[in-house]
Amino acid sequence: MKKTFAFSIFGLMLSPMAFGATPWWERGTICQISPTDCYSHMGTGYDTELWDTTDKCWGMKLICPDALIATEYAPVPVSRSDIRAGNKIKSDFDTDELNGDCFGVRKTVSNGAMAMVNGKYVQVWCNGVPLDSPDEYLPNGVITYADAPTCAELAEYGYVASENKKCYGKYYDPAQYYIKCSGDNLLPERIVVLNGADYTMASSDMPADKSAAEDMFDKMESISQKQRSKYFSDN
């Protein structure tokens, strides 16, 4: 009796009627990899054939080598969880921005005139500004990882560290302007329009003392008043 009962159970297990006519590979008890995509739109910068084990979906972003903490020479696929947590990725880079065939662009502000380096924003120097060795080229210019050039170093070549549209570094022709730097300030104390004067040569008619300077100033004021009355009217 026991043998007959055991045979009946075995036959029931083999019978397709036990689970209906559904093939075994389509039954709900079979583990299947989710067909869900990790990203709604995947094109350049994604590997759609990779399985993201942490998020249980298909597709991984390719992160550019410069944006990765570890030294790499080609784009690396990174899971969504690691991207959200900032794992493996330098905080100076925005991995939402496509950079060619991978994601990871250095963060910028002020229309690209300032770029983040080691957590701080630094000037993006316009092309042509004299730098000893630019460390990185960006769309609006170059940046250096070292200290910014001094006012005197820039002035030697006629440049001032002021914003110039989408980068830093305005040029002043040394034949027309004198850039006066002061201390460790990056910006100059003043920019003097030369009007043809040679600022390196001392004037021969400089006032000798205070009294002479006051006389010269009085004459200048008198001439100015005469010119004003000649060309301007109070009416």
Side-chain angles (χ1 to χ4, degrees), residues 3-153:
K3 290 182 179 180
T4 303
F5 178 74
F7 179 80
S8 298
I9 294 297
F10 182 71
L12 182 63
M13 292 174 62
L14 294 179
S15 173
M17 296 302 294
F19 292 97
T22 304
W24 66 266
W25 59 87
E26 293 182 0
R27 294 171 190 167
T29 56
I30 302 300
C31 295
Q32 299 181 13
I33 296 178
S34 171
T36 304
D37 289 337
C38 296
Y39 302 93
S40 57
H41 301 285
M42 287 190 286
T44 303
Y46 295 90
D47 191 324
T48 58
E49 297 182 358
L50 288 180
W51 172 250
D52 189 332
T53 57
T54 57
D55 282 83
K56 311 301 181 186
C57 53
W58 288 101
M60 297 178 76
K61 267 187 177 182
L62 298 173
I63 306 301
C64 299
D66 289 343
L68 295 167
I69 294 174
T71 301
E72 300 288 349
Y73 300 96
V76 172
V78 179
S79 70
R80 287 198 307 180
S81 295
D82 282 334
I83 292 174
R84 286 193 295 263
N87 299 333
K88 304 179 182 180
I89 298 168
K90 295 176 183 176
S91 60
D92 294 343
F93 286 78
D94 184 352
T95 53
D96 288 331
E97 294 291 330
L98 189 64
N99 185 7
D101 59 353
C102 53
F103 285 89
V105 175
R106 189 174 289 279
K107 295 176 182 177
T108 60
V109 293
S110 300
N111 293 321
M114 301 283 288
M116 183 176 284
V117 176
N118 297 325
K120 296 181 179 180
Y121 283 102
V122 301
Q123 290 92 344
V124 175
W125 299 102
C126 301
N127 294 316
V129 173
L131 296 177
D132 288 339
S133 55
D135 291 297
E136 192 173 328
Y137 291 85
L138 300 180
N140 295 345
V142 299
I143 58 175
T144 175
Y145 303 153
D147 293 335
T150 65
C151 175
E153 289 172 340

Side-chain angles (χ1 to χ4, degrees), residues 136-181:
E136 192 173 328
Y137 291 85
L138 300 180
N140 295 345
V142 299
I143 58 175
T144 175
Y145 303 153
D147 293 335
T150 65
C151 175
E153 289 172 340
L154 293 173
E156 184 178 354
Y157 297 92
Y159 281 92
V160 170
S162 56
E163 192 169 351
N164 185 9
K165 296 181 180 178
K166 296 183 178 181
C167 54
Y168 277 79
K170 285 188 176 181
Y171 178 73
Y172 291 85
D173 186 348
Q176 302 180 41
Y177 300 91
Y178 168 56
I179 303 170
K180 183 180 180 181
C181 298

Side-chain angles (χ1 to χ4, degrees), residues 193-232:
V193 180
L194 298 178
N195 288 330
D198 185 356
Y199 68 90
T200 61
M201 300 294 292
S203 174
S204 59
D205 57 352
M206 290 287 287
D209 51 30
K210 182 179 178 181
S211 177
E214 290 177 347
D215 288 342
M216 179 181 289
F217 193 69
D218 288 341
K219 290 179 181 179
M220 292 170 60
E221 185 179 19
S222 176
I223 293 172
S224 178
Q225 289 176 346
K226 290 179 180 178
Q227 292 294 98
R228 182 181 184 281
S229 63
K230 180 178 180 180
Y231 293 104
F232 296 93

